[in-house]
Amino acid sequence: MNRLGFLSGAIVIASLSLAGIGRADTMSYADAVTALAKDCGSDIKKVCKGLNLGNNQIQDCLQKNEGKVSPTCTSTLGQVTASIQQRQAAQTGFFKICAHDAAQYCGGVKGEGNILACLLKSKRVDNGKCNQAITDAGWR
């Protein structure tokens, strides 16, 4: 099988895997780094040597050099990127998504961290979107 066919297959598999990420817990930052080190370590050494992890330097390098990167790394990078983006979106949107539950079960509680702690302790939070946002944000 040629590299293009193999890469196309990897992209299809990654796309199918990403569809499942929406329902699963998001990946922690530590798990993301571990997955990238495992599946992309040799590619990073080969095409992105000397770059720092910050400011998306490694991600940009791997994407820019996609033709030189293994299909496994390409797939893992896609999964990690999607999961981290979902985690960041959940963290950013949490208070808006959970505003009703916070008002209903944590009235009078001040401060975002305290409201989160209250919602985590409350067994009555029944808003599926709020529960999912807490999980996706990595707070449960």
Side-chain angles (χ1 to χ4, degrees), residues 94-122 125 130 134 139-140:
F94 163 75
F95 290 100
K96 182 177 179 183
I97 293 168
C98 295
H100 175 74
D101 291 291
Q104 188 172 1
Y105 303 119
C106 304
V109 175
K110 302 286 185 219
E112 293 178 351
N114 294 328
I115 292 170
L116 174 61
C118 172
L119 289 173
L120 288 171
K121 288 179 187 173
S122 177
V125 174
C130 180
I134 293 169
W139 295 329
R140 178 176 333 175

XYZ file of all heavy atoms in Angstrom, residues 94-122 125 130 134 139-140:
258
model
N -18.349 26.846 30.619
C -18.939 26.166 31.766
C -19.968 27.014 32.515
O -21.083 26.579 32.763
C -17.838 25.706 32.731
C -18.341 25.362 34.089
C -19.027 24.174 34.298
C -18.163 26.215 35.152
C -19.515 23.845 35.552
C -18.647 25.900 36.410
C -19.319 24.711 36.602
N -19.615 28.241 32.877
C -20.511 29.034 33.726
C -21.776 29.454 32.997
O -22.829 29.568 33.612
C -19.766 30.220 34.345
C -18.773 29.746 35.370
C -17.432 29.632 35.053
C -19.198 29.347 36.620
C -16.528 29.144 35.992
C -18.301 28.859 37.558
C -16.967 28.756 37.242
N -21.685 29.634 31.710
C -22.889 29.953 30.939
C -23.785 28.711 30.840
O -24.993 28.789 31.038
C -22.501 30.447 29.542
C -23.679 30.848 28.700
C -23.241 31.399 27.362
C -24.448 31.780 26.527
N -24.068 32.256 25.209
N -23.177 27.575 30.548
C -23.940 26.327 30.413
C -24.587 25.930 31.735
O -25.716 25.446 31.767
C -23.019 25.188 29.894
C -22.572 25.485 28.459
C -23.709 23.836 29.979
C -21.450 24.599 27.960
N -23.897 26.166 32.835
C -24.367 25.718 34.146
C -25.026 26.824 34.965
O -25.285 26.641 36.162
C -23.197 25.123 34.934
S -22.528 23.613 34.206
N -25.307 27.960 34.353
C -25.863 29.103 35.094
C -27.163 28.746 35.809
O -27.366 29.122 36.974
C -26.080 30.286 34.151
N -28.051 28.027 35.135
C -29.339 27.669 35.754
C -29.123 26.767 36.967
O -29.707 26.997 38.033
C -30.240 26.977 34.726
C -31.521 26.488 35.303
N -32.554 27.333 35.648
C -31.935 25.233 35.635
C -33.548 26.628 36.158
N -33.202 25.353 36.158
N -28.276 25.749 36.810
C -28.004 24.832 37.927
C -27.329 25.570 39.078
O -27.645 25.326 40.243
C -27.126 23.662 37.462
C -27.859 22.739 36.520
O -28.779 22.045 36.979
O -27.518 22.724 35.323
N -26.405 26.482 38.747
C -25.716 27.250 39.793
C -26.717 28.105 40.561
O -26.677 28.159 41.801
C -24.621 28.113 39.174
N -27.632 28.754 39.861
C -28.638 29.589 40.522
C -29.578 28.737 41.366
O -29.978 29.133 42.471
C -29.425 30.385 39.481
N -29.943 27.566 40.853
C -30.903 26.713 41.535
C -30.303 26.027 42.765
O -30.952 25.937 43.805
C -31.439 25.657 40.565
C -32.576 24.836 41.126
C -33.200 23.948 40.063
O -32.779 23.935 38.910
N -34.214 23.215 40.450
N -29.080 25.537 42.667
C -28.510 24.705 43.734
C -27.412 25.396 44.544
O -27.040 24.903 45.610
C -27.956 23.404 43.161
C -28.998 22.617 42.412
C -28.845 22.340 41.060
C -30.144 22.159 43.052
C -29.813 21.633 40.362
C -31.119 21.446 42.363
C -30.940 21.188 41.021
O -31.891 20.492 40.337
N -26.901 26.502 44.054
C -25.769 27.147 44.726
C -26.014 28.631 44.928
O -25.072 29.433 44.922
C -24.489 26.926 43.923
S -24.107 25.192 43.623
N -27.276 29.014 45.070
C -27.612 30.416 45.269
C -26.857 30.987 46.463
O -26.733 30.344 47.497
N -26.328 32.163 46.316
C -25.590 32.807 47.393
C -24.117 32.454 47.428
O -23.347 33.101 48.113
N -23.705 31.418 46.697
C -22.292 31.048 46.655
C -21.593 32.012 45.710
O -22.058 32.255 44.593
C -22.107 29.580 46.183
C -20.639 29.236 46.031
C -22.805 28.622 47.138
N -20.483 32.574 46.147
C -19.748 33.555 45.359
C -18.427 32.965 44.879
O -17.806 32.175 45.580
C -19.450 34.811 46.189
C -20.673 35.486 46.751
C -21.436 36.216 45.673
C -22.587 36.994 46.303
N -23.771 36.984 45.540
N -18.018 33.369 43.703
C -16.729 32.947 43.150
C -16.870 31.709 42.282
O -17.553 30.756 42.656
N -16.242 31.754 41.117
C -16.383 30.652 40.165
C -15.909 29.314 40.730
O -16.558 28.286 40.540
C -15.632 30.982 38.869
C -16.255 32.130 38.111
C -15.493 32.504 36.853
O -14.380 32.002 36.625
O -16.035 33.311 36.086
N -14.792 29.328 41.436
C -14.282 28.087 42.024
C -15.224 27.518 43.068
O -15.423 26.304 43.153
N -15.816 28.395 43.865
C -16.762 27.953 44.890
C -18.045 27.419 44.266
O -18.630 26.448 44.752
C -17.077 29.091 45.857
C -15.870 29.492 46.676
O -15.016 28.672 46.991
N -15.776 30.771 47.001
N -18.495 28.069 43.196
C -19.696 27.589 42.491
C -19.422 26.214 41.889
O -20.249 25.305 41.996
C -20.141 28.592 41.410
C -20.645 29.880 42.082
C -21.219 27.991 40.508
C -20.885 31.027 41.119
N -18.260 26.052 41.291
C -17.900 24.742 40.740
C -17.890 23.690 41.840
O -18.454 22.604 41.676
C -16.540 24.811 40.041
C -15.982 23.478 39.554
C -16.909 22.842 38.520
C -14.590 23.671 38.978
N -17.267 23.991 42.971
C -17.224 23.044 44.088
C -18.631 22.693 44.552
O -18.931 21.516 44.830
C -16.409 23.622 45.239
N -19.513 23.683 44.622
C -20.899 23.446 45.020
C -21.591 22.504 44.037
O -22.259 21.559 44.446
C -21.644 24.778 45.113
S -23.421 24.596 45.388
N -21.429 22.774 42.742
C -22.072 21.923 41.736
C -21.512 20.504 41.762
O -22.259 19.539 41.570
C -21.908 22.532 40.343
C -22.728 23.789 40.069
C -22.347 24.393 38.729
C -24.223 23.492 40.131
N -20.228 20.375 42.004
C -19.622 19.039 42.072
C -20.163 18.247 43.261
O -20.328 17.035 43.177
C -18.098 19.141 42.152
C -17.403 19.579 40.875
C -15.930 19.864 41.134
C -17.565 18.546 39.773
N -20.448 18.936 44.364
C -20.972 18.281 45.557
C -22.462 17.973 45.433
O -22.955 17.035 46.046
C -20.744 19.150 46.798
C -19.311 19.216 47.227
C -19.163 20.125 48.440
C -17.706 20.341 48.781
N -17.526 21.334 49.842
N -23.163 18.777 44.652
C -24.608 18.628 44.549
C -24.964 17.374 43.763
O -24.509 17.170 42.650
C -25.225 19.851 43.866
O -26.613 19.650 43.715
N -27.804 18.120 40.485
C -27.577 18.723 39.165
C -28.044 17.716 38.124
O -27.517 16.616 38.023
C -26.093 19.082 38.944
C -25.861 19.571 37.530
C -25.649 20.123 39.948
N -24.796 20.572 31.596
C -23.925 21.056 32.671
C -22.996 19.932 33.127
O -21.790 20.124 33.263
C -24.750 21.586 33.843
S -23.747 22.204 35.226
N -18.870 19.920 32.824
C -17.961 19.672 33.956
C -16.999 18.544 33.622
O -15.789 18.640 33.860
C -18.755 19.364 35.242
C -19.527 20.596 35.712
C -17.822 18.854 36.354
C -20.529 20.316 36.818
N -12.925 18.572 35.151
C -13.090 18.883 36.567
C -13.764 17.759 37.324
O -14.065 17.900 38.510
C -13.864 20.184 36.731
C -13.116 21.356 36.197
C -11.766 21.532 36.162
C -13.668 22.517 35.593
N -11.449 22.734 35.583
C -12.609 23.367 35.228
C -14.968 22.943 35.311
C -12.780 24.587 34.607
C -15.149 24.157 34.700
C -14.077 24.984 34.357
N -14.054 16.691 36.672
C -14.657 15.530 37.347
C -14.002 14.294 36.799
O -13.664 14.146 35.711
C -16.150 15.490 37.075
C -16.784 14.323 37.700
C -18.252 14.288 37.556
N -18.774 15.645 37.404
C -20.040 15.899 37.167
N -20.881 14.959 37.070
N -20.481 17.116 37.011
